[in-house]
Amino acid sequence: MPREIKKQNIYRERLLKLIPSEIVAAYIFLQGVIPEEESKWGLLIVTVILLILTPFYLQKFQKVTNLVQILITTLSFSVWVYSLGGPFKPWGLYQPWIGSIILVIWTLIVPLIWNIEQETG
C-alpha cells in the first residue's frame, strides 16, 4: 500500500497510513532482544534511533513527500511507544492510564486533523 495520503482516502485508509508499521515492528523486535537489566538505556536508545529514523524511512522508502504527514506519523510512533510504557517505564515516567487516554484520543483525532490540513492546504 503506498503510504502517501491522497484526498480520496477514507478515514480508515488515512489512519492506517499514519501508523509507521515497519518502525513499530522494528521496535517490537528490538524491545524483545534487550535484556531486562539493560532496558533502561537500551529502550531509550532504540526509541530515539527509531524516532529519528522514521521521517527518513518515510521519505526514502515509502516516498512520502508531505511534511505534515511525516510529522504526524513520527509523533504517532511516540504516542504508541508511550502507550506501551517503552523507555518511559524504567525511568518512572509512565502512567498506563495516561498512555491509554493519549492513544485513543490521538487515534481518533489525527485522521481528522489530516483531513482539515488537506482541505486548507
Side-chain angles (χ1 to χ4, degrees), residues 9-20:
N9 291 136
I10 62 173
Y11 173 87
R12 181 177 49 87
E13 291 170 336
R14 289 192 307 260
L15 179 61
L16 290 174
K17 290 180 179 189
L18 291 169
I19 298 170

Side-chain angles (χ1 to χ4, degrees), residues 39-54:
S39 67
K40 189 171 189 174
W41 285 102
L43 287 174
L44 180 62
I45 292 167
V46 164
T47 301
V48 169
I49 289 170
L50 291 175
L51 190 61
I52 293 169
L53 180 64
T54 300

Side-chain angles (χ1 to χ4, degrees), residues 1 7-8 12 18 21 23-24 32-33 42 50-51 59-60 64 66-67 73-74 77 89 96 98 102 106 119:
M1 156 174 75
K7 194 169 183 89
Q8 69 271 17
R12 181 177 49 87
L18 291 169
S21 54
I23 302 295
V24 167
V33 299
L50 291 175
L51 190 61
Q59 289 175 323
K60 175 94 173 149
V64 177
N66 187 296
L67 294 179
T73 303
T74 303
F77 174 68
K89 196 172 190 175
I98 293 174
I102 292 170
W106 183 258
E119 291 173 5

